[in-house]
Amino acid sequence: MASSLKNIVVVGGSYVGKTTAQELARLVPETHRVLLIEPHSHFHHLFTFPRFAIVPGQEHKAFIPYSGIFPSIPNSLRHAVVQARALSVQPRSVKLDREWQGSSQIPFEYLVLATGTRLAEPAGMRNDDKLSSVAYLQKHQNDVKRAKSILIGGGGAVGVQMATDLKEYYPDKDITVVQSRPQLMPGFHSKLHELIKSRFDELGIKLITGARVVVPKDGMPNGGSFDIQLTNGSQVTTEFVILATGQTPNNGLIKDLAPSSSESLINPENGFVRIKPTMQFQDPQYPNLFAVGDIADTGLRKAARPGSAQAGVVARNIQAMIEGRKPEETYPRMPAAIHLTLGMKYNVVFRNPNEAEGQTEPTIIPRFDGQEDMNVEGMWEKLGVQPNGPNQYHL
């Protein structure tokens, strides 16, 4: 069914895409509507996946209906969440893998790319539906429970959180973390590595640095004890392997867009979309295309906090363009920060020094208020969904 409304399309409904769509819906005039395109049937609360892949009984809460995204916004009925997978972006339209309102091609006046990065399971899910994703987490919980020894490849946030959760929840298991760099979470001040290493020592977690896990050509063995080769020539005997080895940019949607010069739309060194400080594509022939969050080449750490600030910038710049003004607001630069769990209750807020303000030491705020379900109910409320009881989390 054709609509007289002009479309503003947001591709990707994770943390930053969801926030961008909501910010836009609050600001744009009644002549426009916001369409959030997302293949997942439910919002994926990624921050809980490392915990829920280990601890049973909470996994249904990690997948939240999108039904509450727009209802709290005035005139919300004109906006929509489109459950579909975007296949390609053209200068004025986006192609979907299925029809929506009679067409698989959606025209737009503005488009915001919020596709983020791909994460390996269990940090990210390969399935789009809730039931399959819940089943995967439950299987992972059972595999973890059976294994007496577990090797984690990767010393970023996911690897650190899973290691500390595993060792605290299953203190008798042998847990080893293999990290390619000399320190854990190398994007942060060295004091975070020191803090995590102290926690590893306290729990009895083994750490191997300067090496990577060599993944066998036929995949990881299933069941029993086996040897895993490392790139430093050594090997580790284990019964289960968890790979937590980084992020791959989801940049394939713009592969058919031709740049106006020899410079690619994508930074070849890291795979992220080149942007102006206004979050518009850097290429001047695409002023109506924006990138936000993890997929944008901002130079900032890939995280929800800086991405949420960028969402507001994008919304206000698109509002300015609709009103005939020049988009002038630029995204804020901020030091890397993280809220990191280091066990079931112990967690820490860590922020790198703000060198622009003359800081030389990081901010470290330890907490001991962690909950087994990571306070996931709060995310349901932020998404406008109010569960009326335990069974509601299965929606």
Side-chain angles (χ1 to χ4, degrees), residues 2 30 47 59 113 118 158 161 184 230 245 247 301 326 332 361 382:
E30 294 185 3
F47 295 148
E59 57 278 357
L113 201 65
R118 292 188 300 277
V158 172
Q161 291 180 171
L184 297 160
L230 304 183
T245 49
Q247 309 171 342
R301 184 177 180 273
K326 184 179 179 181
E361 291 296 312
K382 287 181 180 178

Side-chain angles (χ1 to χ4, degrees), residues 3-162:
S3 172
S4 60
L5 294 169
K6 297 176 181 179
N7 295 327
I8 303 173
V9 169
V10 179
V11 183
S14 193
Y15 299 99
V16 178
K18 177 269 302 180
T19 302
T20 302
Q22 290 176 317
E23 291 291 328
L24 281 163
R26 293 187 182 99
L27 293 178
V28 298
E30 294 185 3
T31 52
H32 290 68
R33 67 177 175 183
V34 179
L35 302 179
L36 176 62
I37 299 175
E38 168 56 52
H40 295 153
S41 64
H42 292 66
F43 178 87
H44 285 197
H45 192 15
L46 296 170
F47 295 148
T48 65
F49 287 176
R51 168 73 54 84
F52 294 173
I54 296 167
V55 179
Q58 309 289 351
E59 57 278 357
H60 292 87
K61 299 179 182 179
F63 307 95
I64 308 169
Y66 276 103
S67 56
I69 291 288
F70 295 122
S72 63
I73 297 167
N75 299 315
S76 64
L77 292 179
R78 72 178 190 272
H79 310 298
V81 178
V82 181
Q83 190 190 348
R85 187 174 301 279
L87 298 179
S88 66
V89 170
Q90 300 300 322
R92 290 289 176 176
S93 67
V94 58
K95 185 178 180 181
L96 308 180
D97 68 344
R98 68 200 75 172
E99 287 193 355
W100 183 77
Q101 294 192 346
S103 177
S104 60
Q105 200 92 4
I106 296 182
F108 60 77
E109 191 171 74
Y110 302 96
L111 178 137
V112 184
L113 201 65
T115 48
T117 58
R118 292 188 300 277
L119 299 168
E121 291 175 310
M125 297 294 111
R126 72 176 67 182
N127 297 109
D128 291 332
D129 67 295
K130 178 168 183 169
L131 287 179
S132 298
S133 298
V134 167
Y136 167 80
L137 288 174
Q138 291 172 338
K139 180 182 182 302
H140 197 276
Q141 294 163 7
N142 291 331
D143 289 340
V144 162
K145 185 177 181 179
R146 284 195 297 266
K148 295 179 181 178
S149 57
I150 298 174
L151 174 65
I152 298 175
V158 172
V160 167
Q161 291 180 171
M162 294 195 78

